[in-house]
Amino acid sequence: MEYDASLMREFAVEAQEHLESVEDNLLRLAIQKENPDRELIDKVFRSVHSIKGGAGFLSLKQVAKLAHAMEALLSEFRSGGKAIGGDSIDTLIAGVDLIQLMLEDTDRSNDVDISSVHHRLRNLLDEKETEPSPPPIQDSCPNSLKKPFVQEEFEIDPEILKNLPPTHEFLYLLKYDLAASREQNNRSPVRIVRDLLSTGVIADSRLESCADLSEPIPKVPLVYTVLYSTILDPDFIGLAVGLPDERVLTIDKENFLKHSALSTLHAALVSASEPASEPVIDLETPIPPVSSESPVSPEITEHFVSEAEELLERMEHCLVNALKNPENIAEAFRLIHSFKGNSGLLGFKDFERLSHQTETVLEGLRDGSVFWNDTIQHRLLQSIDALREALPELSKTGISRILKCDDLIAQLTHLEICEDSTPIAANLSPVTVSKQHHDIRVDLEKLDLLINLVGELVTAEAMVSKNPDLEGLDLDNFERSAHNLRRIISELQDVAMSMRMVPLSRTFRKMTRLAHDLSLKSGKPVKLTLLGEETEVDKTVIEHITDPLVHIIRNCVDHGIESPDMRRRFGKPETGLITIRAGHEGGEVVIHVSDDGQGLSREKILKKAIATGIVSGDGTHLSDEAVHRLIFEPGFSTAEQVTDVSGRGVGMDVVRRNLEKIKGRIDVHTLPGRGTTLSFRIPLTLAIIEGMLIRVGTARYTIPLLSIRESFRPTPKQITTTMDGQEIVRIRNDLLPILRLHKLYKVASEQTEIDRGILIHVACGIKSVCLFADDIVGHHHTVIKGIPEYIDSARGISGFTILDNGEVSLILDVGSIIEMAER
């Protein structure tokens, strides 16, 4: 039967949330083996029960079948029939992983081979099924329900069956006790009928009783027999209609129509009184072994790779920071367990073998039988690297092959515990339940379209509310409505923009591993501090700043941080400090990377620049900042020898080029002997901001309000002209350069005298400049649109916007303009 796609998606999202809760609670139960929390078991049981019911309704047979088997084992835990053990928890988690996999592609879920996990669940049940059933109904009507389907006759008219929906494949006789249902389950007859009609059709029914029907609430069984047509197959009908198996009879509808025009089911009804075998967990039928050649579609492989990259990245972060927070070991164990389960289900043998041995080491660290040391950390990180490096080939060819897999497994197997090992497990606190996330994946192109439409909405609102035809009219109601519209649009644009923003935390965490590895290679103890990880940037920005951060961290360790001996001589701690700090300044995303090393040497840089022909002469005419910027020239390096860390002169060139792609720039600040700070400044290339509109002749320019300090009309006494022609304005105790926009952009200006125009004091960080314009038009919501790619470079421009009258206004990049003024 075909279902609305939205219904299937909704079930998948809800089921994934259930599975996250199930996995967390199972891991908690694994720690509570001796004294398990009954409430946790009940929570897991209810979640699996919900998944089973929804999957059965949507004909996801393999999902429902596996969930049913898991539910049966959990029922044993609830009743005390089985003790919780490591094997049972691992098997249930394997079931969770497999259901998650099937939910990623519900169209193909019924083709997934679940026999391996299903067989393990069967074995754990010790060859008995303990599906929970409602308590027996106490009745005063002898034999009425002891053999539920023993009744005189129930005639079925074939004409009724012919008129049933053709999509209904199954037909049942259901037997309810209405009195008991109301008393025990608070289910009224009306509710029973409503529930039945939600998933099928009541073809016929009969009410019989040995009670006095004149009583308002009879205390003896009211037997209600229903001929029920539905899409639900026998595995799930009992759950869906709320009846135990012995009160449900399956009728072979096709065979009935073929051989009988009008028949009674007396004989069949009598035989049906015998206990029915469980159709899902058939303990007598052997399960064939899992095929080693499990067919995996490219879509499933791609999803595995995507999820694996995230799991490995999180695991790496946990291992690098294991001593900072001992609970990271438990988190790493859970992550590698999930990775191993996914690998095993898809038949990726090398991935499964290596992750299994990694899991074994982490389990020892977690339970205290293995102690932490640098060797163990190094081997575990090597394992993660090997798994990560094999993912591209898996994604491209479908081959799950890990180079030197056996060697890595052997190294993990024979790890020795050193004397300087550190205990970690003793510091572990009880596992807490993680917060459930309610997320949905949305195509990035759809988000771009949404943001563009919101931008157009902002522009359209401005065109309406500021329409020249309304000028001079007193429209109080219109103004109130327009104000309310602007408020709603403002909230809408905030939400739309936040949907594309992602925190820098994930990118920053990658630098933690990098600093750890570089520290080991260079023999320099290094500590990396991360600040402002919660700062959010557009997703496209993330893609362009990862490589620059990598190259800068490499240079910090290789060129900036001194050796331990040298740091001691300078009175510094042996451990070098690298800090990455992110935040927003003046409408820009700013990322500072600083170290407490030796700083940049002007003499050393100039010497190498002159030797390579980058600088002519002796370089004395160059300012310190100009000399420092030479490190970004292609091929430039002050390294005396090339190492596997740096020295080829390509790193800082990559930094500059990547930032130029997103219209960003980099500033260098250094103090000899104290360290260097490199600052990325990235303009908001995809945003809706408040801007001030200024006029220069007939041209209109927009300045982000966050960059403006003040605007004023100067007096002649405030203006000074230097010998080289630079105009300077005195603002209180500061002297600021004046930059004439009409000269910068070569446009005709109405005003040429400084005291007749307007000066706008703008700032970027600690640097300021005054822009000279004819006049200020006003402020407005500015929808920033990026400069087309075919325009190679636009000096001092970060984008453009559409004005109320449809004209184009260029948005000034204050940071770039200040940089131009300094040059």
Side-chain angles (χ1 to χ4, degrees), residues 481-505:
S481 300
H483 177 75
N484 189 44
L485 177 61
R486 280 192 292 270
R487 178 184 61 80
I488 295 173
I489 291 176
S490 178
E491 293 178 0
L492 177 62
Q493 71 189 41
D494 289 341
V495 173
M497 287 304 307
S498 67
M499 293 170 68
R500 268 193 65 105
M501 307 298 278
V502 293
L504 284 166
S505 55

Side-chain angles (χ1 to χ4, degrees), residues 336 339-340 343 347-358 379-380 382-390 393 399-414:
I336 196 64
F339 183 93
K340 183 190 77 171
S343 302
F348 300 151
K349 297 302 181 184
D350 278 6
F351 285 84
E352 183 182 18
R353 291 168 55 223
L354 182 54
S355 57
H356 173 73
Q357 193 57 46
T358 305
R379 296 301 185 205
L380 290 173
Q382 272 189 325
S383 171
I384 292 175
D385 288 341
L387 292 168
R388 182 189 286 121
E389 290 168 3
E393 181 181 5
I399 299 175
S400 58
R401 180 174 53 206
I402 297 178
L403 296 177
K404 300 182 179 179
C405 182
D406 293 335
D407 293 343
L408 291 169
I409 292 174
Q411 291 172 356
L412 290 170
T413 305
H414 298 97

Side-chain angles (χ1 to χ4, degrees), residues 180-188 191:
S181 292
R182 177 183 286 277
E183 180 180 351
Q184 298 176 6
N185 303 320
N186 198 28
R187 294 185 73 197
S188 66
R191 181 180 170 187

Side-chain angles (χ1 to χ4, degrees), residues 39 60 62 216 265 326 512 572 619 650 655 698 707 748 767 770 788 801:
E39 184 179 347
L60 301 177
Q62 294 293 77
L265 299 178
T512 305
K572 295 182 178 181
V650 296
V655 172
T698 59
S707 300
K767 298 179 180 180
C770 284
T801 186

